[in-house]
Amino acid sequence: AQTVTQSQPEMSVQEAETVTLSCTYDTSESDYYLFWYKQPPSRQMILVIRQEAYKQQNATENRFSVNFQKAAKSFSLKISDSQLGDAAMYFCAYREPNTGNQFYFGTGTSLTVIP
Amino acid sequence: EAGVTQFPSHSVIEKGQTVTLRCDPISGHDNLYWYRRVMGKEIKFLLHFVKESKQDESGMPNNRFLAERTGGTYSTLKVQPAELEDSGVYFCASSQLNLGADTQYFGPGTRLTVL
């Protein structure tokens, strides 16, 4: 089974600074999708960013960007100019396009933003 | 557009009792997923509905768990009888398509505590 590892249970960042959350995964597939989801306290999970494995270019969404290293099976999330509203639990997830429909999630990283 | 909603937000029951969780997906979304996160661990897939049919229930822990989606709209997940290890946060998600790149929209989750 595919595994997703988030090695940082907790991270903190000063407001306006940059923070990188790490994620590694294990797969033998060449085609797949990677996601970062964010869950603010007591609120629902929302998609932050998505990356298709066949694309070499790293995905970017405003202040959020990823560093996708396919050979190393690494998919880190960089948050620039951190804001108080970025404080949340962040989950990395993996999904294959054809074999099954489920996400495989990591254990999450709790991000604290310090004013 | 209303998002995925789940009810109740919290439930505390005693071992041996029955609990039913409800999920209302985004209107028009044929695909509905149930996930569970046990404290401190990864979010794990339970099952996937396409309309009213179970597409994949490989993640269901055992026969104490019963999921239904009558009419292809909302879904219920019943745990009977509940055990201590069933405690966790149960997430529901829905998606319009069933593709690898398709975004799953998550509800806020139901926190279940079994005493």
Side-chain angles (χ1 to χ4, degrees):
Chain A
Q2 283 70 17
T3 57
V4 178
T5 301
Q6 293 180 250
S7 59
Q8 306 152 317
E10 297 177 345
M11 290 282 285
S12 62
V13 62
Q14 205 78 33
E15 194 175 3
E17 296 295 311
T18 296
V19 64
T20 298
L21 309 184
S22 67
C23 173
T24 58
Y25 56 94
D26 182 26
T27 184
S28 57
E29 302 295 325
S30 60
D31 189 19
Y32 48 87
Y33 301 88
L34 297 164
F35 304 78
W36 277 99
Y37 275 87
K38 163 189 174 181
Q39 186 182 25
S42 301
R43 294 180 61 187
Q44 60 201 97
M45 269 202 300
I46 56 174
L47 179 68
V48 175
I49 201 165
R50 176 177 63 204
Q51 175 82 40
E52 291 87 346
Y54 63 86
K55 290 186 177 179
Q56 291 187 332
Q57 187 173 8
N58 289 324
T60 299
E61 287 289 340
N62 300 313
R63 297 183 295 106
F64 297 87
S65 61
V66 298
N67 182 7
F68 173 47
Q69 302 288 329
K70 192 172 184 180
K73 297 179 185 176
S74 170
F75 182 60
S76 60
L77 174 69
K78 185 171 85 169
I79 306 173
S80 303
D81 186 25
S82 297
Q83 301 175 0
L84 295 179
D86 295 333
M89 181 71 80
Y90 286 80
F91 294 97
C92 177
Y94 164 101
R95 190 185 195 198
E96 290 173 5
N98 298 314
T99 56
N101 309 294
Q102 59 179 285
F103 280 101
Y104 295 90
F105 284 92
T107 50
T109 296
S110 178
L111 179 66
T112 300
V113 180
I114 303 166
Chain B
E1 177 183 284
V4 177
T5 58
Q6 293 186 244
F7 182 83
S9 56
H10 294 82
S11 180
V12 181
I13 61 173
E14 293 190 349
K15 176 182 172 181
Q17 290 186 320
T18 298
V19 64
T20 300
L21 314 180
R22 174 172 169 143
C23 168
D24 286 78
I26 292 173
S27 178
H29 281 192
D30 288 340
N31 295 278
L32 187 149
Y33 310 81
W34 283 99
Y35 293 85
R36 176 175 73 174
R37 183 178 189 228
V38 173
M39 179 74 77
K41 300 204 171 180
E42 70 272 24
I43 300 170
K44 281 194 173 181
F45 168 82
L46 296 178
L47 87 159
H48 168 215
F49 283 100
V50 177
K51 297 184 180 179
E52 66 275 8
S53 300
K54 291 176 185 173
Q55 181 79 7
D56 180 358
E57 51 183 330
S58 60
M60 293 287 263
N62 49 62
N63 58 12
R64 295 186 293 103
F65 289 75
L66 175 64
E68 296 180 323
R69 193 183 181 195
T70 307
T73 53
Y74 71 91
S75 174
T76 58
L77 179 64
K78 183 163 73 173
V79 186
Q80 177 183 30
E83 298 289 343
L84 299 179
E85 63 265 25
D86 300 333
S87 295
V89 181
Y90 290 77
F91 292 100
C92 174
S94 72
S95 68
Q96 191 169 32
L97 302 175
N98 191 24
L99 304 174
D102 194 35
T103 296
Q104 292 187 11
Y105 297 87
F106 282 79
T110 293
R111 181 174 296 277
L112 174 64
T113 302
V114 182
L115 302 176

